[in-house]
Amino acid sequence: MNMSAIVLNTDTLPLPIRERLQSHKVSMQERDGGIILLPLREGSGLRGIASQSNLTTDKFRAYKREDKELDK
């Protein structure tokens, strides 16, 4: 029986497991009678060349406001 994925904070996991994960959250899924933990990356939501960027929505909006001011 498969269950839907559950998102867990890695702080709730035992230390030996937590030390191996490079993420603060994991997706826990049951498959074939076992449990799989998949690290979740918390990104900016951007895609393509910006996917590895630390650009936030607030920063983007600030840049757009600055551009508008410079265009005036």
Side-chain angles (χ1 to χ4, degrees):
M1 173 181 199
N2 286 339
M3 62 186 231
S4 60
I6 298 172
V7 176
L8 298 172
N9 187 321
T10 55
D11 292 336
T12 63
L13 300 172
L15 185 60
I17 296 172
R18 193 176 5 176
E19 288 175 338
R20 293 184 155 262
L21 298 169
Q22 301 293 319
S23 177
H24 295 290
K25 293 183 181 180
V26 294
S27 171
M28 182 181 83
Q29 302 174 10
E30 182 182 350
R31 285 196 194 153
D32 301 322
I35 300 293
I36 297 175
L37 298 175
L38 300 170
L40 298 175
R41 288 186 42 190
E42 297 198 28
S44 63
L46 299 174
R47 297 180 181 189
I49 62 171
S51 65
Q52 300 299 317
S53 173
N54 64 354
L55 181 67
T56 64
T57 304
D58 291 336
K59 287 182 185 178
F60 176 76
R61 288 180 181 150
Y63 293 147
K64 294 300 278 181
R65 280 193 298 271
E66 289 175 15
D67 286 344
K68 281 185 180 181
E69 290 297 320
L70 291 174
D71 287 341
K72 290 182 180 181

